[in-house]
Amino acid sequence: MAEDITKSPLYKIANPQSIVVFGASSDPTSMGSIQLNALMDLGFKGKIYPVHPRDKIIMGLKAYASVQDLPEVPDLALIVVPTKIVGEILRYCGEKGIRHAIVVSGGFKELGEEGARLEEELKEIAKVYGIRFLGPNCIGVANPYARLNTTIFKYTAPPGYIGMASQSGSFVTQMFDYIKLFNMGFSTAFSVGNEADLDLVDCLQYFALCPHTKVITLYIEGIRRGRQFVEIAREVSLSKPIVAYYAGGTNTGKRAGLGHTGAVAGPEKLYEGAFKQAGIIKANNVQELFLIAWAFQNLPLPKGNRVVVLTHSGGPGAAAADACGRAGLEMPELNKELVEKLKNYLPSTANLKNPVDATFSKNMIVYYTELPQIILDHSTTDVLFYYSFMPQERVKAILKEMNIKEEQMEEMAKEILKEQTELIRSIMLKTQKPIMCFNFRDPRDPYVAALIERNIPVFSDPHLGAKAIKALLDYWVWRNNRKKGDGYEK
Amino acid sequence: MAEDITKSPLYKIANPQSIVVFGASSDPTSMGSIQLNALMDLGFKGKIYPVHPRDKIIMGLKAYASVQDLPEVPDLALIVVPTKIVGEILRYCGEKGIRHAIVVSGGFKELGEEGARLEEELKEIAKVYGIRFLGPNCIGVANPYARLNTTIFKYTAPPGYIGMASQSGSFVTQMFDYIKLFNMGFSTAFSVGNEADLDLVDCLQYFALCPHTKVITLYIEGIRRGRQFVEIAREVSLSKPIVAYYAGGTNTGKRAGLGHTGAVAGPEKLYEGAFKQAGIIKANNVQELFLIAWAFQNLPLPKGNRVVVLTHSGGPGAAAADACGRAGLEMPELNKELVEKLKNYLPSTANLKNPVDATFSKNMIVYYTELPQIILDHSTTDVLFYYSFMPQERVKAILKEMNIKEEQMEEMAKEILKEQTELIRSIMLKTQKPIMCFNFRDPRDPYVAALIERNIPVFSDPHLGAKAIKALLDYWVWRNNRKKGDGYEK
């Protein structure tokens, strides 16, 4: 594996200084134009050269009749033209000296034999000129740090820490809004399309070296270089967690995937085995893929499987316990010393088993301060699974009781949210143990929004939280065993 | 089973004309006061009589020193007092002639032997006076049609069609905001607590007769009257779907439930069998409970398991196919006649297998009109599984292309949303086949919001949508077989 990210064949694709665009035109509804628009919208700082046989100005940029006319050799070619002329364009690029391309155009291997032949031709041309390329049948790259977005949607999330390599362009572009819901952003996201040249393995190697990437996510319909994939992923997993959703496992999934990028899907079990060997965390759907990544990005890894559930009402506690049971997590009986410590802060109606049920209490502040602190501080707790729910009506009722004036209330309620959520974060950082929050609130709820803003994940159902805890734990165990050298996968 | 809802022992509890409240006081942070506040907030139209030994006025209402002083016999007593005086209060109520009560106070069976003894005492007193009661250790009832809400939170959802009977008060009160996210509301929700008298079975019988209830949801930690439960549910299921989440199935779940309402949890398999026999749809978590109810409330039942997936990008289609495979749904090859009909509306790059992948098209309107119409109209389609995603940037780009002025754009975009979403609803109603929408959008996305507003469920991941389709299908099969009388459960 390369030690220097600039040596990665994907480096210039994700970090170009200049781009030539084929397929944008004065028609703003064409796909090439939409992509150029997204690129300009993010404020790409390098040079952009549209090439078009007739149009002279495209979206305010000077357009060139041919790639030969360009005043320099661009780092990257973005090709969004009819299938039959893609080869020709790529050849012109090669002659100009361009060595990196993104082929957006479809109509290749994914459409059958004739398409497969055209794809082989493309590979030949690339080989002749030493061009490394992404695609065909892809949507390109989003790297918000380089203000690069070649896709068809505006990049709306903040620059972030999630690396994404996807065999579906949708799970790059159509996730921009989605990941923003979790206050997440991509470090860089690659749509790899048919992977005629660069593939998931290259992406893994890139992300291993990418300084912004904390967690790697993969959307897989079928893996092409199986052995290399497992070998490289096994290495990369040692430093960064990889979470993957494989959609080709069922027969219906397989058929759908085949129609899409022409990858070869295998039985679920095969992929499961490969993932396990490589330390890859398996997600069962898109939602899990990003929720687990959210947990990896923001929570310390648990160092054991002893979960303590903290709740102030029975139902959510029982649901969390049920979720832990299903996910294979342990909820041991509460340590006696811990019980004694908690007793000082709880009403007599509280239940001091696991879940710890604080029940209804007039002094609700203790639920957000002393209780999580005491539970996580104790050596017998590995994870706090926390029903984090702070009804704003109650906060305001208490402020009213304290004779706070109506006009100061909003601000004070905000201040309380800030203090409480920052405290939770600081407890987690100090103890280096994860706090997994869950509730059943609208994401617009002020308390939920305040937690998310401070990068404390809040799961909308405990079964999702339990799965994420299990994912973190599995990764910790795998990595530990790998480091010890005794082979977790045996 | 009673034929007349007014004969149900729960009728006066859910539809009282007058209520006496024990436990509200001049201290607004006490639980009783919070409940009285929620009751008044929803605008209860009947009489409310607070009883308090010292306070003369509570929240602007005249308070009485004793229940004997009340000018009438109230329909319902709401009791939120310390455990040790609950029996005494209930006795006074009985002497006054009150025949219905909600005992909110905890400290009974859920706390062990001494509590169990107190609970038996309570039952004895109730028996003497012929009082039917909910609880103890419950949060009471929300019936928005009667503007009744005895719980600790304000009822914020619209009056709706979901009946809820819950062994956890949280899954009544803390769901008010949650179900609103789906434009749903409760018809009536009962928190049954320890079920010393009235229980889940009584609730089922009530909902069967309740004119507002379309779907019944249950949160179960353990069933007390097993045989009656199955018998009654089996009858009720014939007319209304029942969806249940049982949280006591795992060992951890069981332990948590035991600590909560003292119900007896059994192994998951036992409950699964009972549910199947009774036609109850099993949810695996709270999220599924309400999402499946959402589907039941708004979609026609599928009359077969042939699902056609419609998408405009490969990834979401493959993920939907994977979800169908995992849920046990069929995605047959597309019928030839159907393919011919669709061809007229699709670009050459489109994939006419199942999923139908419309790919990128300049004329995006066809995706929201002709395609769903044609697919659902065809006799070989039972369900349309629809990647319903309408990026507003694209809509606006197209309007711009049509020379629509900036100032008219917002309104026109809104008009398009209205038209398109109403069309989807009308196709579904005309064909009486379900359209299951999914996408990965922020619920605040204008298109998603417009769909939800028109009671078209939109699922945030296809695996959730597939599970809901399967639930509807299972129910249809069960009910059909029951009606035919050949015993589906054999």
Side-chain angles (χ1 to χ4, degrees):
Chain A
M1 217 165 7
E3 291 298 307
D4 177 357
I5 193 168
T6 63
K7 304 251 161 62
S8 159
L10 282 163
Y11 185 74
K12 289 261 163 148
I13 290 178
N15 305 271
Q17 298 293 317
S18 48
I19 308 177
V20 51
V21 180
F22 299 88
S25 69
S26 56
D27 172 4
T29 65
S30 80
M31 182 127 163
S33 299
I34 291 171
Q35 290 182 269
L36 176 56
N37 186 43
L39 181 62
M40 292 174 68
D41 179 75
L42 196 56
F44 179 65
K45 292 287 179 216
K47 282 275 181 193
I48 305 175
Y49 303 107
V51 168
H52 195 273
R54 289 170 309 277
D55 294 340
K56 302 296 174 207
I57 299 279
I58 297 171
M59 296 187 201
L61 297 173
K62 175 176 162 53
Y64 295 80
S66 136
V67 66
Q68 299 307 331
D69 300 344
L70 300 185
E72 62 169 321
V73 178
D75 283 343
L76 177 64
L78 180 65
I79 302 173
V80 200
V81 298
T83 317
K84 58 182 188 298
I85 60 165
V86 172
E88 191 187 336
I89 298 277
L90 196 65
R91 200 185 305 274
Y92 290 147
C93 287
E95 280 166 8
K96 179 73 179 179
I98 296 171
R99 295 297 171 256
H100 295 91
I102 296 171
V103 182
V104 173
S105 316
F108 293 90
K109 199 176 173 185
E110 79 278 11
L111 285 197
E113 257 178 61
E114 169 60 10
R117 203 190 49 75
L118 286 172
E119 194 163 311
E120 283 308 311
E121 227 174 81
L122 218 58
K123 283 159 79 172
E124 284 303 319
I125 297 165
K127 214 169 169 186
V128 168
Y129 294 99
I131 297 171
R132 303 305 306 268
F133 69 102
L134 215 52
N137 186 25
C138 77
I139 204 71
V141 184
N143 174 2
Y145 293 95
R147 301 205 180 175
L148 175 75
N149 174 23
T150 74
T151 80
I152 54 169
F153 288 114
K154 292 184 182 181
Y155 185 85
T156 49
Y161 309 104
I162 305 297
M164 173 80 176
S166 174
Q167 286 179 343
S168 157
S170 306
F171 293 133
V172 172
T173 59
Q174 291 166 34
M175 295 296 122
F176 295 160
D177 270 25
Y178 186 71
I179 58 176
K180 212 172 72 173
L181 287 173
F182 313 112
N183 197 28
M184 290 202 296
F186 286 126
S187 54
T188 292
F190 295 106
S191 155
V192 296
N194 293 4
E195 299 175 295
D197 178 27
L198 296 164
D199 66 4
L200 292 180
V201 179
D202 298 297
C203 293
L204 284 177
Q205 291 180 306
Y206 180 86
F207 288 132
L209 299 168
C210 167
H212 302 298
T213 303
K214 286 188 187 174
V215 188
I216 301 167
T217 55
L218 304 176
Y219 170 75
I220 301 173
E221 292 179 357
I223 290 171
R224 282 172 179 81
R225 292 191 283 160
R227 185 180 300 176
Q228 290 94 323
F229 177 84
V230 174
E231 267 172 23
I232 298 295
R234 215 171 121 84
E235 274 313 294
V236 175
S237 290
L238 279 176
S239 57
K240 296 181 185 181
I242 304 172
V243 192
Y245 169 43
Y246 169 52
T250 64
N251 279 331
T252 41
K254 205 185 300 182
R255 277 204 305 271
L258 281 173
H260 176 208
T261 62
V264 181
E268 179 110 0
K269 282 279 165 228
L270 205 79
Y271 276 77
E272 258 174 24
F275 285 3
K276 210 165 240 180
Q277 219 184 331
I280 295 174
I281 299 301
K282 183 174 174 284
N284 291 307
N285 47 62
V286 176
Q287 185 190 38
E288 270 185 35
L289 181 66
F290 288 102
L291 289 183
I292 291 172
W294 196 24
F296 269 115
Q297 179 186 300
N298 295 308
L299 302 180
L301 295 178
K303 311 298 182 299
N305 67 355
R306 295 166 303 174
V307 178
V308 176
V309 173
L310 175 59
T311 178
H312 52 58
S313 36
D322 180 55
C324 285
R326 285 166 203 270
L329 295 166
E330 294 291 332
M331 283 177 54
E333 259 189 58
L334 235 50
N335 173 281
K336 274 184 192 153
E337 190 190 55
L338 179 53
V339 169
E340 287 310 312
K341 282 187 178 165
L342 289 170
K343 258 188 188 163
N344 301 323
Y345 295 93
L346 286 170
S348 62
T349 47
N351 197 324
L352 278 158
K353 296 196 174 112
N354 191 2
V356 177
D357 184 351
T359 67
F360 179 87
S361 165
K362 285 195 179 190
N363 176 13
M364 61 188 281
I365 290 302
V366 74
Y367 188 78
Y368 306 100
T369 50
E370 284 86 355
L371 300 184
Q373 177 88 58
I374 292 168
I375 291 170
L376 265 199
D377 269 344
H378 203 270
S379 64
T380 58
T381 308
D382 294 316
V383 180
L384 174 63
F385 200 6
Y386 188 28
Y387 184 52
S388 49
F389 170 49
M390 192 192 271
Q392 293 305 295
E393 331 179 347
R394 290 244 2 244
V395 172
K396 285 181 186 162
I398 289 167
L399 289 175
K400 205 171 170 186
E401 180 70 350
M402 289 162 68
N403 288 316
I404 303 298
K405 284 181 198 135
E406 195 69 48
E407 59 266 31
Q408 295 175 298
M409 215 172 261
E410 276 304 324
E411 199 156 329
M412 278 204 71
K414 260 191 197 156
E415 192 54 36
I416 290 172
L417 283 184
K418 184 170 178 287
E419 270 173 33
Q420 297 310 323
T421 50
E422 280 176 2
L423 180 68
I424 293 296
R425 181 122 199 108
S426 80
I427 293 173
M428 184 153 69
L429 294 178
K430 219 178 60 198
T431 59
Q432 278 298 302
K433 296 176 181 177
I435 300 179
M436 172 57 76
C437 296
F438 76 98
N439 60 38
F440 304 93
R441 304 301 289 173
D442 188 324
R444 285 157 280 196
D445 172 284
Y447 181 59
V448 175
L451 285 167
I452 292 175
E453 197 187 313
R454 286 173 186 86
N455 286 322
I456 304 166
V458 189
F459 283 58
S460 61
D461 193 285
H463 83 283
L464 298 168
K467 275 188 187 167
I469 296 171
K470 187 60 166 49
L472 265 56
L473 183 65
D474 283 350
Y475 176 66
W476 181 80
V477 169
W478 179 88
R479 202 182 62 179
N480 242 21
N481 285 333
R482 267 297 308 276
K483 284 186 176 166
K484 280 192 226 142
D486 65 359
Y488 172 61
E489 66 278 14
K490 269 193 286 194
Chain B
M1 217 165 7
E3 290 298 306
D4 176 358
I5 192 169
T6 64
K7 304 249 161 64
S8 159
L10 282 162
Y11 184 75
K12 290 260 162 149
I13 291 177
N15 305 272
Q17 299 293 318
S18 48
I19 308 176
V20 50
V21 180
F22 300 88
S25 69
S26 54
D27 171 5
T29 64
S30 81
M31 185 130 163
S33 299
I34 291 170
Q35 290 182 268
L36 176 56
N37 187 44
L39 180 63
M40 293 174 67
D41 180 74
L42 195 56
F44 179 66
K45 292 288 179 216
K47 282 277 181 192
I48 306 175
Y49 304 108
V51 168
H52 194 274
R54 289 170 308 278
D55 293 340
K56 302 297 174 208
I57 299 279
I58 296 171
M59 296 188 203
L61 298 172
K62 175 176 161 57
Y64 295 80
S66 136
V67 67
Q68 299 307 333
D69 301 344
L70 300 185
E72 63 168 321
V73 179
D75 283 342
L76 177 65
L78 180 65
I79 302 173
V80 200
V81 298
T83 317
K84 58 181 186 300
I85 61 166
V86 172
E88 192 186 334
I89 298 277
L90 196 66
R91 198 186 304 274
Y92 290 147
C93 287
E95 279 164 10
K96 178 75 180 178
I98 296 169
R99 296 296 170 256
H100 295 91
I102 296 171
V103 181
V104 173
S105 316
F108 292 90
K109 199 176 172 186
E110 79 278 11
L111 285 196
E113 257 178 63
E114 169 60 13
R117 203 188 52 73
L118 286 171
E119 194 164 310
E120 282 308 310
E121 228 175 81
L122 218 57
K123 283 159 78 171
E124 284 303 316
I125 296 165
K127 214 169 170 185
V128 169
Y129 295 99
I131 298 171
R132 303 304 305 267
F133 69 102
L134 215 52
N137 187 25
C138 78
I139 205 74
V141 185
N143 173 4
Y145 293 95
R147 302 207 180 174
L148 175 75
N149 174 22
T150 73
T151 78
I152 54 169
F153 287 115
K154 292 183 181 180
Y155 185 85
T156 48
Y161 309 104
I162 305 297
M164 174 80 176
S166 174
Q167 287 181 343
S168 157
S170 306
F171 292 133
V172 172
T173 58
Q174 290 166 35
M175 295 296 121
F176 295 159
D177 270 25
Y178 186 70
I179 59 176
K180 211 173 72 173
L181 286 173
F182 312 113
N183 197 27
M184 291 201 297
F186 287 125
S187 54
T188 292
F190 294 106
S191 155
V192 296
N194 292 4
E195 299 175 294
D197 177 27
L198 296 163
D199 65 4
L200 292 180
V201 179
D202 298 297
C203 293
L204 284 177
Q205 290 180 306
Y206 180 86
F207 288 132
L209 299 168
C210 168
H212 303 298
T213 302
K214 287 189 187 173
V215 189
I216 302 167
T217 55
L218 304 175
Y219 170 74
I220 301 173
E221 292 179 357
I223 290 171
R224 283 173 179 80
R225 291 193 283 161
R227 184 180 300 176
Q228 291 96 322
F229 177 83
V230 173
E231 269 172 21
I232 298 295
R234 217 171 119 83
E235 274 314 295
V236 175
S237 290
L238 279 176
S239 57
K240 297 181 186 182
I242 304 171
V243 192
Y245 169 43
Y246 170 52
T250 63
N251 278 332
T252 42
K254 203 185 301 182
R255 277 204 305 272
L258 281 174
H260 177 208
T261 63
V264 181
E268 179 109 1
K269 282 279 165 226
L270 205 80
Y271 277 77
E272 259 174 24
F275 285 3
K276 210 165 240 179
Q277 216 184 333
I280 295 174
I281 299 300
K282 184 175 174 285
N284 291 306
N285 47 63
V286 175
Q287 184 189 37
E288 271 185 33
L289 180 67
F290 288 102
L291 290 183
I292 291 173
W294 196 23
F296 269 114
Q297 179 185 301
N298 295 307
L299 302 180
L301 295 180
K303 312 297 182 298
N305 66 355
R306 296 166 302 175
V307 177
V308 176
V309 174
L310 174 59
T311 178
H312 51 59
S313 36
D322 180 56
C324 285
R326 283 166 203 269
L329 296 166
E330 293 293 330
M331 283 177 56
E333 258 189 60
L334 236 49
N335 173 279
K336 273 183 194 155
E337 191 190 53
L338 178 54
V339 169
E340 287 311 313
K341 283 188 177 164
L342 289 171
K343 258 189 187 160
N344 301 324
Y345 295 93
L346 286 171
S348 63
T349 47
N351 196 324
L352 278 158
K353 299 202 172 105
N354 192 4
V356 177
D357 185 351
T359 67
F360 179 87
S361 165
K362 282 193 182 191
N363 176 12
M364 61 187 280
I365 290 303
V366 74
Y367 187 78
Y368 305 99
T369 50
E370 284 86 355
L371 299 184
Q373 177 88 57
I374 292 167
I375 292 171
L376 266 199
D377 269 343
H378 203 270
S379 64
T380 57
T381 307
D382 294 316
V383 179
L384 174 62
F385 201 6
Y386 189 25
Y387 184 52
S388 48
F389 170 47
M390 191 191 271
Q392 293 305 296
E393 329 178 351
R394 290 246 359 247
V395 173
K396 286 182 185 163
I398 288 166
L399 289 174
K400 206 173 170 183
E401 178 71 349
M402 290 162 68
N403 286 318
I404 303 297
K405 284 183 198 135
E406 194 71 47
E407 58 267 30
Q408 295 175 298
M409 215 171 261
E410 277 302 325
E411 199 157 327
M412 280 204 69
K414 259 192 197 154
E415 192 54 36
I416 290 173
L417 283 184
K418 184 171 179 286
E419 271 173 31
Q420 297 309 323
T421 50
E422 280 176 2
L423 180 68
I424 292 297
R425 181 124 200 106
S426 80
I427 294 173
M428 183 153 72
L429 292 178
K430 219 178 59 199
T431 58
Q432 278 298 303
K433 295 177 182 177
I435 299 180
M436 173 55 78
C437 296
F438 76 97
N439 60 37
F440 304 93
R441 304 301 290 173
D442 190 322
R444 285 157 281 195
D445 172 284
Y447 181 58
V448 175
L451 286 167
I452 292 175
E453 198 186 314
R454 286 173 186 86
N455 286 324
I456 304 167
V458 190
F459 282 59
S460 61
D461 193 285
H463 84 282
L464 298 168
K467 274 187 188 169
I469 297 171
K470 186 60 166 48
L472 266 56
L473 183 64
D474 283 349
Y475 175 66
W476 181 80
V477 169
W478 180 88
R479 204 182 59 179
N480 241 21
N481 285 334
R482 267 298 306 277
K483 283 185 176 166
K484 279 191 226 144
D486 65 357
Y488 172 63
E489 67 280 14
K490 267 194 284 195

